[in-house]
Amino acid sequence: MGFKVLTILSLLVLFVSCKKTPETSFPDVDKIDNQNSQEITEADVSKLKYIDYTLDVKTEDAIKDWKEYTQLQDIISNVKRGDLSFFNDNEEQVKILIKDLKDNMPKQVKSPSVSARLLVWETKILKLESLSNLSTTSKDELLDVIKEFLVACSNVNFQMNKKVEFDTRDIEKP
């Protein structure tokens, strides 16, 4: 008789402890997608704080035939608009651009300091290309890499301006 009472009590406790609807709620899938979205907009990029150096008129004249740099400027303007389509599964084109940019640098801006800035820029463009193709990259990480890329491009402009300015200085010897 003790066994029957114990069995009935166990079944009663089992039925009482089971609920018909689960209490656990899962977060809304749309909220998760919005938080982890890689969608970069022009407004997001415009909020980035960095110093953007533009080319001087003398420097523009010195590099006017450097078509790879013109292509780089197009990529930069697209990135500033939040368009990273150039980097989507385009690793070969990125490598060709890097190689051609270094190989076809005009004499007027060729110097170790400009080459060093181009090397930094190369690192940043490869990092941006790789992170923009990852689905696990967060929006904040992508914005940080975009900022690094834009700063590297700005530093290339600054060094080219300094090189051309230094070369055009006419110092008279006494």
Side-chain angles (χ1 to χ4, degrees), residues 4-110:
K4 286 182 182 179
V5 172
L6 187 58
T7 306
I8 292 173
L9 270 173
S10 297
L11 287 175
L12 185 62
V13 169
L14 181 68
F15 286 130
V16 171
S17 66
C18 292
K19 293 186 178 181
K20 298 198 187 313
T21 59
E23 282 185 15
T24 58
S25 64
F26 296 101
D28 192 14
V29 175
D30 293 334
K31 290 180 184 176
I32 292 174
D33 288 344
N34 288 340
Q35 291 171 351
N36 294 333
S37 175
Q38 282 187 345
E39 247 348 273
I40 302 293
T41 63
E42 187 173 356
D44 294 331
V45 176
S46 67
K47 290 178 187 175
L48 298 175
K49 303 281 187 223
Y50 69 98
I51 298 174
D52 190 13
Y53 294 103
T54 58
L55 291 177
D56 189 50
V57 175
K58 295 174 190 174
T59 309
E60 286 179 353
D61 289 340
I63 65 166
K64 65 184 173 191
D65 295 329
W66 195 13
K67 65 181 180 179
E68 292 82 12
Y69 186 79
T70 307
Q71 184 181 0
L72 173 63
Q73 290 302 318
D74 292 339
I75 294 168
I76 293 170
S77 65
N78 287 341
V79 169
K80 286 182 179 179
R81 285 185 307 218
D83 179 17
L84 301 177
S85 60
F86 176 76
F87 302 104
N88 294 342
D89 298 324
N90 204 7
E91 186 176 346
E92 193 62 35
Q93 282 296 102
V94 172
K95 288 182 180 179
I96 290 171
L97 173 65
I98 291 168
K99 182 183 179 303
D100 290 344
L101 195 66
K102 287 185 200 176
D103 293 344
N104 300 327
M105 188 186 312
K107 270 190 321 191
Q108 296 91 339
V109 294
K110 196 169 201 162

